[in-house]
Amino acid sequence: MLPIKPHLWFDNQAKEAAEFYAALMPDSAISYVNQLHNTPSGDCDIIEFTIAGQPFMAISAGPLFKFNPSISFMINFDPSRDPDAARHIDEVWSKLTAGGTVMMPLDRYPFSERYGWVADKYGVSWQLILTNPAGEPRPVIIPSMMFTGAVAGKAEEAIDFYCSVFKESKRGTTASRPEDMGPDKAGTLLFADFYINQTWLAAMDSAHNHGFGFNEAVSLLIECETQEEIDYYWSALSADPKAGQCGWLKDKYGVSWQISSTFMSEVLKNGTPQQIDRVTQAFLPMKKFDMAALQKAYQG
């Protein structure tokens, strides 16, 4: 069971963005850069990289989807693990705000001595927080989902659903609204986090009229070892037959997932250009991945 990888869809800046993120914090690097040829979006750069130990994927596949704050990435600066956390949060904030858009200024709030929310110059959203968590430590980066629009108020239900789908899942912190707060009703989530597939995720509700929702610009990638695993996750998560293609699906809350395989990762990382091209042409017509067909294409 491998950690879930956030997957970022760029127009044509995936490589540039990955280089920017790889220089953002310690324990960050580009793992590989490759290219998919003759796709519906033309030739697409595809990159794997890590930020502070969290694996990511990115692709340049045209201007089909735009980033928005429905999925953001929390960066935890923990003074109990980093004595210079207060200085480091300011340094990373400075990098992310350059050319970006500040949504909540880096300042003191009731829930943190130092917190800010920014969309960087590529449109990707980040929440930076100075924290000192009690109990089980959290990773530096946690993908965070905002349930808004038609799914506002469903974050608690969604967490229960994801914990039922994924093995070795558990709930973490839960903070609910004690009373109605404007359009947000009592009992909806201010914040909660949960653990699935060796990955901490967070969720919150917002009934305000933001004008955005989940889309394919940020998807969550699951790497499976077997066809049985692919079949299981596809069956458990897929809720929109029209959205299912090339291993991508949408769940009943509109969140995009990719059900891929460790084999595909090895092909993209270590395959020859010819092997990658054959596998690419094999998976393009697929909805759910067929590992036997992909392996046959790889072997030629």
Short mmCIF file of all heavy atoms in Angstrom, two decimals, residues 7-16 32-37 39 41-48 57-62 268:
data_model
loop_
_atom_site.label_atom_id
_atom_site.label_comp_id
_atom_site.label_asym_id
_atom_site.label_seq_id
_atom_site.Cartn_x
_atom_site.Cartn_y
_atom_site.Cartn_z
N HIS A 7 -2.15 14.80 -7.76
CA HIS A 7 -1.77 14.94 -9.17
C HIS A 7 -2.26 16.31 -9.66
O HIS A 7 -3.45 16.62 -9.56
CB HIS A 7 -2.40 13.81 -9.98
CG HIS A 7 -2.00 13.78 -11.42
ND1 HIS A 7 -2.50 14.67 -12.35
CD2 HIS A 7 -1.16 12.97 -12.10
CE1 HIS A 7 -1.97 14.41 -13.54
NE2 HIS A 7 -1.15 13.37 -13.41
N LEU A 8 -1.35 17.12 -10.17
CA LEU A 8 -1.65 18.50 -10.57
C LEU A 8 -1.67 18.60 -12.09
O LEU A 8 -0.71 18.21 -12.75
CB LEU A 8 -0.60 19.45 -10.00
CG LEU A 8 -0.33 19.35 -8.49
CD1 LEU A 8 0.75 20.34 -8.07
CD2 LEU A 8 -1.60 19.58 -7.70
N TRP A 9 -2.74 19.15 -12.64
CA TRP A 9 -2.92 19.30 -14.09
C TRP A 9 -2.62 20.76 -14.47
O TRP A 9 -3.36 21.67 -14.10
CB TRP A 9 -4.35 18.94 -14.46
CG TRP A 9 -4.68 19.02 -15.92
CD1 TRP A 9 -4.56 20.10 -16.76
CD2 TRP A 9 -5.22 17.96 -16.73
NE1 TRP A 9 -4.97 19.79 -18.02
CE2 TRP A 9 -5.39 18.48 -18.04
CE3 TRP A 9 -5.58 16.64 -16.48
CZ2 TRP A 9 -5.92 17.71 -19.09
CZ3 TRP A 9 -6.10 15.89 -17.52
CH2 TRP A 9 -6.26 16.42 -18.81
N PHE A 10 -1.55 20.96 -15.20
CA PHE A 10 -1.16 22.28 -15.68
C PHE A 10 -1.47 22.40 -17.18
O PHE A 10 -1.61 21.40 -17.88
CB PHE A 10 0.33 22.52 -15.45
CG PHE A 10 0.74 22.60 -14.02
CD1 PHE A 10 1.06 21.45 -13.30
CD2 PHE A 10 0.81 23.83 -13.37
CE1 PHE A 10 1.45 21.52 -11.97
CE2 PHE A 10 1.19 23.91 -12.04
CZ PHE A 10 1.51 22.75 -11.34
N ASP A 11 -1.52 23.63 -17.65
CA ASP A 11 -1.62 23.87 -19.09
C ASP A 11 -0.31 23.44 -19.74
O ASP A 11 -0.25 22.42 -20.44
CB ASP A 11 -1.92 25.36 -19.33
CG ASP A 11 -1.99 25.71 -20.81
OD1 ASP A 11 -1.81 24.82 -21.67
OD2 ASP A 11 -2.22 26.89 -21.13
N ASN A 12 0.77 24.17 -19.49
CA ASN A 12 2.08 23.80 -20.07
C ASN A 12 3.24 24.09 -19.11
O ASN A 12 4.38 24.11 -19.53
CB ASN A 12 2.30 24.54 -21.39
CG ASN A 12 2.17 26.05 -21.25
OD1 ASN A 12 2.18 26.58 -20.13
ND2 ASN A 12 2.02 26.75 -22.35
N GLN A 13 2.91 24.29 -17.81
CA GLN A 13 3.95 24.71 -16.87
C GLN A 13 4.35 23.63 -15.88
O GLN A 13 4.98 23.93 -14.85
CB GLN A 13 3.49 25.95 -16.07
CG GLN A 13 2.84 27.03 -16.89
CD GLN A 13 1.32 26.95 -16.81
OE1 GLN A 13 0.73 25.88 -16.74
NE2 GLN A 13 0.68 28.11 -16.81
N ALA A 14 4.01 22.36 -16.12
CA ALA A 14 4.25 21.32 -15.11
C ALA A 14 5.73 21.22 -14.74
O ALA A 14 6.08 21.14 -13.55
CB ALA A 14 3.73 19.98 -15.60
N LYS A 15 6.62 21.21 -15.72
CA LYS A 15 8.05 21.07 -15.43
C LYS A 15 8.56 22.29 -14.67
O LYS A 15 9.28 22.16 -13.68
CB LYS A 15 8.83 20.86 -16.72
CG LYS A 15 10.31 20.55 -16.51
CD LYS A 15 10.98 20.17 -17.83
CE LYS A 15 12.45 19.81 -17.62
NZ LYS A 15 13.25 20.98 -17.21
N GLU A 16 8.18 23.46 -15.13
CA GLU A 16 8.60 24.69 -14.45
C GLU A 16 8.08 24.73 -13.01
O GLU A 16 8.81 25.07 -12.07
CB GLU A 16 8.06 25.89 -15.22
CG GLU A 16 8.27 27.24 -14.57
CD GLU A 16 7.49 28.35 -15.25
OE1 GLU A 16 7.53 28.42 -16.50
OE2 GLU A 16 6.84 29.14 -14.54
N TYR A 32 11.51 12.22 -11.54
CA TYR A 32 11.75 11.99 -12.97
C TYR A 32 10.90 12.94 -13.80
O TYR A 32 9.88 13.47 -13.33
CB TYR A 32 11.48 10.54 -13.38
CG TYR A 32 10.02 10.11 -13.31
CD1 TYR A 32 9.12 10.43 -14.33
CD2 TYR A 32 9.55 9.35 -12.25
CE1 TYR A 32 7.79 10.02 -14.27
CE2 TYR A 32 8.23 8.94 -12.18
CZ TYR A 32 7.36 9.28 -13.20
OH TYR A 32 6.04 8.89 -13.13
N VAL A 33 11.33 13.16 -15.03
CA VAL A 33 10.58 13.93 -16.02
C VAL A 33 10.50 13.07 -17.28
O VAL A 33 11.51 12.54 -17.73
CB VAL A 33 11.27 15.27 -16.35
CG1 VAL A 33 10.49 16.03 -17.42
CG2 VAL A 33 11.43 16.12 -15.10
N ASN A 34 9.32 12.93 -17.83
CA ASN A 34 9.16 12.17 -19.06
C ASN A 34 8.10 12.83 -19.92
O ASN A 34 7.56 13.88 -19.55
CB ASN A 34 8.81 10.71 -18.76
CG ASN A 34 9.71 9.75 -19.53
OD1 ASN A 34 9.92 9.94 -20.74
ND2 ASN A 34 10.25 8.76 -18.86
N GLN A 35 7.76 12.21 -21.03
CA GLN A 35 6.79 12.82 -21.94
C GLN A 35 5.90 11.75 -22.54
O GLN A 35 6.36 10.67 -22.92
CB GLN A 35 7.50 13.59 -23.05
CG GLN A 35 6.60 14.58 -23.78
CD GLN A 35 7.38 15.52 -24.68
OE1 GLN A 35 7.94 15.09 -25.68
NE2 GLN A 35 7.42 16.80 -24.32
N LEU A 36 4.60 12.06 -22.60
CA LEU A 36 3.63 11.22 -23.29
C LEU A 36 3.36 11.84 -24.65
O LEU A 36 3.09 13.04 -24.75
CB LEU A 36 2.32 11.14 -22.49
CG LEU A 36 2.41 10.70 -21.03
CD1 LEU A 36 1.02 10.67 -20.40
CD2 LEU A 36 3.08 9.34 -20.91
N HIS A 37 3.44 11.03 -25.70
CA HIS A 37 3.28 11.53 -27.06
C HIS A 37 1.92 11.14 -27.63
O HIS A 37 1.33 10.13 -27.25
CB HIS A 37 4.39 10.98 -27.97
CG HIS A 37 5.77 11.39 -27.55
ND1 HIS A 37 6.25 12.67 -27.69
CD2 HIS A 37 6.77 10.67 -26.98
CE1 HIS A 37 7.48 12.74 -27.24
NE2 HIS A 37 7.83 11.54 -26.79
N THR A 39 -1.16 12.24 -27.44
CA THR A 39 -2.38 12.19 -26.64
C THR A 39 -3.39 13.20 -27.20
O THR A 39 -3.03 14.02 -28.06
CB THR A 39 -2.09 12.53 -25.17
OG1 THR A 39 -1.97 13.96 -25.02
CG2 THR A 39 -0.81 11.86 -24.67
N SER A 41 -4.23 15.80 -25.96
CA SER A 41 -3.67 17.13 -25.65
C SER A 41 -2.31 17.34 -26.31
O SER A 41 -1.61 18.30 -25.98
CB SER A 41 -3.53 17.29 -24.13
OG SER A 41 -4.78 17.22 -23.48
N GLY A 42 -1.92 16.45 -27.23
CA GLY A 42 -0.61 16.56 -27.86
C GLY A 42 0.45 15.86 -27.02
O GLY A 42 0.17 14.88 -26.33
N ASP A 43 1.66 16.37 -27.08
CA ASP A 43 2.76 15.82 -26.28
C ASP A 43 2.72 16.46 -24.89
O ASP A 43 2.69 17.68 -24.76
CB ASP A 43 4.11 16.10 -26.94
CG ASP A 43 4.27 15.34 -28.25
OD1 ASP A 43 3.47 14.41 -28.49
OD2 ASP A 43 5.16 15.70 -29.03
N CYS A 44 2.71 15.61 -23.86
CA CYS A 44 2.50 16.07 -22.48
C CYS A 44 3.69 15.74 -21.61
O CYS A 44 4.06 14.56 -21.49
CB CYS A 44 1.26 15.40 -21.88
SG CYS A 44 -0.27 15.70 -22.79
N ASP A 45 4.28 16.75 -20.98
CA ASP A 45 5.28 16.48 -19.94
C ASP A 45 4.60 15.86 -18.74
O ASP A 45 3.52 16.30 -18.32
CB ASP A 45 5.98 17.78 -19.51
CG ASP A 45 6.89 18.34 -20.57
OD1 ASP A 45 7.41 17.55 -21.37
OD2 ASP A 45 7.07 19.58 -20.59
N ILE A 46 5.23 14.85 -18.15
CA ILE A 46 4.73 14.25 -16.92
C ILE A 46 5.89 14.12 -15.95
O ILE A 46 6.98 13.68 -16.32
CB ILE A 46 4.03 12.90 -17.19
CG1 ILE A 46 3.35 12.40 -15.90
CG2 ILE A 46 4.98 11.86 -17.77
CD1 ILE A 46 2.29 11.34 -16.16
N ILE A 47 5.67 14.58 -14.73
CA ILE A 47 6.75 14.72 -13.75
C ILE A 47 6.30 14.15 -12.41
O ILE A 47 5.16 14.35 -12.00
CB ILE A 47 7.13 16.21 -13.56
CG1 ILE A 47 7.59 16.84 -14.88
CG2 ILE A 47 8.21 16.38 -12.50
CD1 ILE A 47 6.55 17.71 -15.52
N GLU A 48 7.22 13.46 -11.74
CA GLU A 48 7.02 13.08 -10.34
C GLU A 48 8.01 13.87 -9.49
O GLU A 48 9.18 13.99 -9.86
CB GLU A 48 7.23 11.58 -10.14
CG GLU A 48 6.98 11.13 -8.70
CD GLU A 48 7.28 9.66 -8.49
OE1 GLU A 48 8.48 9.31 -8.35
OE2 GLU A 48 6.33 8.87 -8.48
N MET A 57 2.50 14.18 -8.41
CA MET A 57 2.64 14.05 -9.86
C MET A 57 2.13 15.33 -10.50
O MET A 57 1.27 16.02 -9.94
CB MET A 57 1.84 12.86 -10.39
CG MET A 57 2.30 11.51 -9.92
SD MET A 57 3.85 10.97 -10.67
CE MET A 57 3.36 10.78 -12.38
N ALA A 58 2.64 15.64 -11.69
CA ALA A 58 2.16 16.80 -12.43
C ALA A 58 2.20 16.48 -13.91
O ALA A 58 3.06 15.72 -14.38
CB ALA A 58 3.00 18.04 -12.12
N ILE A 59 1.29 17.06 -14.67
CA ILE A 59 1.24 16.87 -16.11
C ILE A 59 0.92 18.20 -16.78
O ILE A 59 0.18 19.03 -16.24
CB ILE A 59 0.18 15.80 -16.49
CG1 ILE A 59 0.32 15.38 -17.96
CG2 ILE A 59 -1.23 16.28 -16.19
CD1 ILE A 59 -0.50 14.17 -18.34
N SER A 60 1.52 18.43 -17.94
CA SER A 60 1.15 19.55 -18.80
C SER A 60 0.25 18.98 -19.89
O SER A 60 0.72 18.28 -20.79
CB SER A 60 2.38 20.19 -19.44
OG SER A 60 3.13 20.93 -18.51
N ALA A 61 -1.04 19.24 -19.80
CA ALA A 61 -1.98 18.60 -20.73
C ALA A 61 -3.03 19.58 -21.26
O ALA A 61 -4.14 19.19 -21.61
CB ALA A 61 -2.66 17.42 -20.05
N GLY A 62 -2.67 20.86 -21.33
CA GLY A 62 -3.57 21.83 -21.93
C GLY A 62 -4.45 22.55 -20.93
O GLY A 62 -4.56 22.16 -19.76
N LEU A 268 6.75 4.73 -16.58
CA LEU A 268 7.02 6.16 -16.76
C LEU A 268 8.41 6.54 -16.25
O LEU A 268 9.05 7.44 -16.79
CB LEU A 268 5.95 6.99 -16.05
CG LEU A 268 4.55 6.92 -16.66
CD1 LEU A 268 3.54 7.61 -15.75
CD2 LEU A 268 4.52 7.54 -18.04
#
